[in-house]
Amino acid sequence: NLKLIAKLGTGLDMIDIPAVLRRGILLCNTPGANSVAVAEHPFALLLGYLRNVPQCDNAVRTGQWEKARTMGGEICGKTVGIIGLGNIGSRVASRMAGFEARLLGTDPCWPEALAAKYGIERRELNELLAESDIVCVHCPLDETTAGFIGKAELALMKPSALLVNMARGGIVDEDALYEALRGKVISGAIIDAYSQEPLTASPLFSLDNVILSPHAGAFTTDALNAMSRMSVDQLFQYVDGAMPDNLVTAE
């Protein structure tokens, strides 16, 4: 008897879309409602990594006052490569510009106006990986991006570079990432999405040059309220006999 699925958030990879289509079920999502939350989360994790925030907190709590041991880095002046300049990636770019970073980007649908506004230099993927100090992944997971960042791609990055994946776990080969981090092929990583979720066991747990987050980019009260209101509006539209907003599939 299912007639409508109102999905909080944009991602649909957890929904059996062919089955939805076969049954004539309407499917809606909430694009844009959590974009700010997801775009801000990389900065929380990135600044935490660069400024050794967990170590600073632990040091003070345990009676240590050794500033030299918490020596960190800055975003300002770094070259930041953004893979995917859609709804989230574009917001990340605008915020990175505020940190006075040099911006590189790659996207099959190149956003000319956005690039001009924030001075984003267009690069092919391999060029972006080789030039960037920080690589941020914000592309969707599909047949063209599954395993997009593997052993060969990681080897192109600078030994001092950081990889930030806030998109989907299947985009980055986690086994290759582990080996790259363990072997110092790259300096560090920040991961918020995994090929298997929840992540209950991983060799990444043994590394101190990675920060792990439980796919929490969209989890702010502001974003949850916005997504919930949009989904409820879609339900009322359907009950009132209208086609809901943000319809992904239809009978």
Side-chain angles (χ1 to χ4, degrees):
N1 295 320
L2 184 61
K3 303 297 182 185
L4 171 70
I5 298 172
K7 164 67 172 59
L8 273 67
T10 303
L12 300 169
D13 48 297
M14 69 294 294
I15 294 176
D16 188 341
I17 294 178
V20 170
L21 286 169
R22 285 196 304 271
R23 290 164 173 78
I25 300 167
L26 301 182
L27 172 61
C28 305
N29 61 354
T30 59
N34 61 10
S35 297
V36 170
V38 178
E40 289 185 357
H41 195 46
F43 293 91
L45 300 178
L46 182 56
L47 290 169
Y49 183 98
L50 291 173
R51 298 307 302 267
N52 295 305
V53 170
Q55 295 90 328
C56 288
D57 179 77
N58 182 67
V60 174
R61 290 173 185 270
T62 55
Q64 303 172 60
W65 201 264
E66 302 176 36
K67 295 181 183 178
R69 294 183 64 185
T70 59
M71 187 68 68
E74 302 173 3
I75 297 176
C76 181
K78 300 297 191 299
T79 297
V80 178
I82 302 174
I83 301 173
L85 289 166
N87 199 23
I88 304 300
S90 61
R91 285 174 165 79
V92 171
S94 70
R95 287 156 177 76
M96 281 293 182
F99 278 89
E100 300 179 40
R102 175 192 174 210
L103 298 179
L104 309 180
T106 185
D107 194 299
C109 301
W110 185 250
E112 293 287 356
L114 179 80
K117 182 175 182 179
Y118 295 111
I120 307 170
E121 302 171 38
R122 189 173 190 175
R123 294 289 188 276
E124 295 299 323
L125 176 64
N126 288 355
E127 297 171 328
L128 181 147
L129 293 171
E131 290 184 49
S132 299
D133 299 304
I134 301 167
V135 174
C136 298
V137 181
H138 296 290
C139 57
L141 174 62
D142 56 31
E143 63 277 1
T144 66
T145 60
F148 206 43
I149 307 296
K151 180 179 180 180
E153 289 74 26
L154 292 165
L156 294 173
M157 295 173 64
K158 299 177 182 180
S160 58
L162 297 176
L163 177 68
V164 183
N165 182 17
M166 308 297 296
R168 288 290 186 269
I171 298 169
V172 176
D173 182 330
E174 290 166 21
D175 292 333
L177 177 62
Y178 168 75
E179 293 298 335
L181 291 168
R182 189 182 65 148
K184 307 299 182 184
V185 175
I186 63 173
S187 177
I190 295 163
I191 309 296
D192 186 50
Y194 311 90
S195 55
Q196 295 293 325
E197 297 182 358
L199 187 69
T200 56
S202 170
L204 294 171
F205 292 175
S206 66
L207 302 176
D208 60 7
N209 57 342
V210 59
I211 286 184
L212 305 172
S213 173
H215 209 151
F219 279 72
T220 67
T221 54
D222 310 84
L224 183 59
N225 286 340
M227 290 186 291
S228 298
R229 286 180 179 275
M230 192 177 293
S231 292
V232 170
D233 286 343
Q234 291 164 346
L235 293 173
F236 279 122
Q237 288 171 333
Y238 177 76
V239 170
D240 290 340
M243 275 296 183
D245 293 333
N246 305 306
L247 195 63
V248 178
T249 61
E251 187 174 0

